[in-house]
Amino acid sequence: MAELRVEGLSFVYGAGTPYEKTAVSDVSFTIAAGEIVGVIGHTGSGKSTLMQLLPGLLRPAAGRVLLGGEDIWANEKAVRQYRFRVGLVFQYPEYQLFDETVERDIGFGPRNMGLALEEVAARVRRAAAVVGLPERLLRHSPFDLSGGEKRRAAIAGVLAMEPEVLILDEPTAGLDPAGRQTILEMIRAYNRQTGAAVLFVSHTMEDVAAVAERVLVLSAGRLALQGPPAEVFAKEEELRAASLDVPAYTRILAALRRQGFPAVRQGLYTLEEAVAEIQRLYAEGKGGATC
Ligand SMILES: Nc1ncnc2c1ncn2[C@@H]1O[C@H](COP(=O)(O)OP(=O)(O)O)[C@@H](O)[C@H]1O
Ligand SMILES: [Mg+2]
């Protein structure tokens, strides 16, 4: 499993036209093998553009993308190979399902890789298992699936290429809490089973807090902040400057602190931590304003 590193990466839409727009500006970071990293940022901050630069679907205006130390654009004819190793799940990937059966759809990537038919079939079954799609659905048309199942089938299509770095652009967008939970568990399972790094974009801070070991914050195309979720989510001012808010549970605990419960600890940002903290305060009799 290889490390993914970007150095001084920039991208400009419509360069040289009146509509020129710098979408990504001088971004550098490294994703270690096996790491789970979350990306947050306001709409238009450059998240989707950055995600497309990583597998070489867009060519940077400046800077480099290195997979295992190799510049993916060093040889233009070879850049396609990196798209199998750095797998990107686009936002609303279910709109890209097209084949006759779910099985053929999931197998599209592995077939393009030139793998033997038995290997393609084995990968399709493994990927379907990771996303929790029952085998009987594999013979159905993708258009017969429910919305959540379609999303999972589309993600399985990228997993079946067994990428070393899995990138997902807002994989939980538009899903209900149970659907979101399924996707987050799937991200963890793929990471655990394969040792691949995972980079995922989310609008929901709580999702990032629940799964990511590290967070990257984009603001107007630049990397404004990065670090472990506890550190990043404690930087309320910097997040506001990036037009972002701290996670809801962190806000609730901060409000409790301000309103006469000074023993409430800082740096907690998931539902489980917030519940445990409130239980601790009750158990220790420290919930009141007198301590
Ligand atoms: N195909 C495009 N042509 C021109 N500008 C674009 C295109 N795609 C995105 N942009 C612009 O680039 C900036 C970053 O967009 P994007 O990467 O989609 O951000 P995000 O995913 O964070 O919402 C925005 O200002 C957006 O309007
Ligand atoms: Mg986007």
Side-chain angles (χ1 to χ4, degrees), residues 47-48 91 169-170:
K47 302 181 298 297
S48 294
Q91 190 169 358
D169 193 352
E170 310 222 18

Side-chain angles (χ1 to χ4, degrees), residues 186-198:
M186 184 221 82
I187 287 176
R188 282 205 203 90
Y190 183 72
N191 167 264
R192 204 176 42 238
Q193 288 170 17
T194 64
V198 181

Side-chain angles (χ1 to χ4, degrees), residues 15-16 42 60 78-79 83 102 114 118 121 135 139 169 187 195 211 220 234 252 273:
H42 197 260
V79 73
R83 295 181 193 149
V102 174
E118 310 85 79
E135 282 223 36
R139 288 181 301 276
D169 193 352
I187 287 176
V211 184
I252 291 167
E273 287 172 340

Side-chain angles (χ1 to χ4, degrees), residues 155-177:
I155 294 175
V158 174
L159 295 188
M161 294 190 288
E162 302 190 348
E164 292 166 57
V165 182
L166 172 65
I167 301 176
L168 306 106
D169 193 352
E170 310 222 18
T172 61
L175 299 180
D176 62 14

Side-chain angles (χ1 to χ4, degrees), residues 10 39 47 65 89 97 112 131 134 160 247 254 267 277 284:
S10 297
V39 180
K47 302 181 298 297
V65 179
V89 179
L97 295 169
N112 265 345
V131 302
E277 181 64 357
E284 295 178 7

Side-chain angles (χ1 to χ4, degrees), residues 11-50:
F11 184 83
V12 183
Y13 287 107
T17 73
Y19 306 103
E20 184 168 303
K21 166 82 197 171
T22 301
V24 171
S25 190
D26 196 19
V27 167
S28 303
F29 59 81
T30 303
I31 312 282
E35 215 183 352
I36 303 186
V37 178
V39 180
I40 57 175
H42 197 260
T43 302
S45 59
K47 302 181 298 297
S48 294
T49 306
L50 178 60

Side-chain angles (χ1 to χ4, degrees), residues 25-264:
S25 190
D26 196 19
V27 167
S28 303
F29 59 81
T30 303
I31 312 282
E35 215 183 352
I36 303 186
V37 178
V39 180
I40 57 175
H42 197 260
T43 302
S45 59
K47 302 181 298 297
S48 294
T49 306
L50 178 60
M51 297 308 112
Q52 292 170 72
L53 285 163
L54 300 177
L57 293 171
L58 294 176
R59 188 179 187 144
R64 299 195 300 168
V65 179
L66 304 149
L67 184 67
E70 297 164 41
D71 181 345
I72 68 168
W73 287 99
N75 172 358
E76 288 200 20
K77 293 200 182 92
V79 73
R80 197 167 158 267
Q81 291 307 316
Y82 291 98
R83 295 181 193 149
F84 302 132
R85 296 177 61 193
V86 179
L88 171 63
V89 179
F90 286 94
Q91 190 169 358
Y92 296 110
E94 53 274 25
Y95 294 130
Q96 299 184 359
L97 295 169
F98 69 97
D99 222 317
E100 269 170 50
T101 64
V102 174
E103 183 165 30
R104 280 194 58 82
D105 225 312
I106 299 176
F108 178 76
R111 281 199 303 278
N112 265 345
M113 293 170 80
L115 297 171
L117 284 181
E118 310 85 79
E119 175 63 13
V120 172
R123 284 176 174 226
V124 168
R125 279 196 302 278
R126 275 205 294 277
V130 173
V131 302
L133 273 188
E135 282 223 36
R136 64 178 169 76
L137 287 182
L138 293 178
R139 288 181 301 276
H140 285 236
S141 157
F143 304 103
D144 291 342
L145 304 183
S146 73
E149 286 166 348
K150 277 186 195 155
R151 172 86 47 103
R152 283 186 274 149
I155 294 175
V158 174
L159 295 188
M161 294 190 288
E162 302 190 348
E164 292 166 57
V165 182
L166 172 65
I167 301 176
L168 306 106
D169 193 352
E170 310 222 18
T172 61
L175 299 180
D176 62 14
R180 274 170 43 198
Q181 207 51 44
T182 309
I183 300 289
L184 296 177
E185 272 158 25
M186 184 221 82
I187 287 176
R188 282 205 203 90
Y190 183 72
N191 167 264
R192 204 176 42 238
Q193 288 170 17
T194 64
V198 181
L199 184 69
F200 75 104
V201 175
S202 182
H203 246 80
T204 314
M205 296 265 211
E206 288 73 17
D207 288 355
V208 173
V211 184
E213 300 157 83
R214 197 150 59 90
V215 190
L216 308 178
V217 182
L218 283 185
S219 177
R222 293 185 176 274
L223 186 59
L225 277 174
Q226 66 167 314
E231 262 173 43
V232 168
F233 293 147
K235 296 186 175 163
E236 217 167 311
E237 258 174 55
E238 286 94 330
L239 289 173
R240 289 243 166 77
S243 310
L244 293 169
D245 235 334
V246 298
Y249 310 118
T250 312
R251 278 208 306 282
I252 291 167
L253 293 177
L256 280 173
R257 227 172 8 252
R258 278 197 306 276
Q259 293 176 15
F261 300 90
V264 176

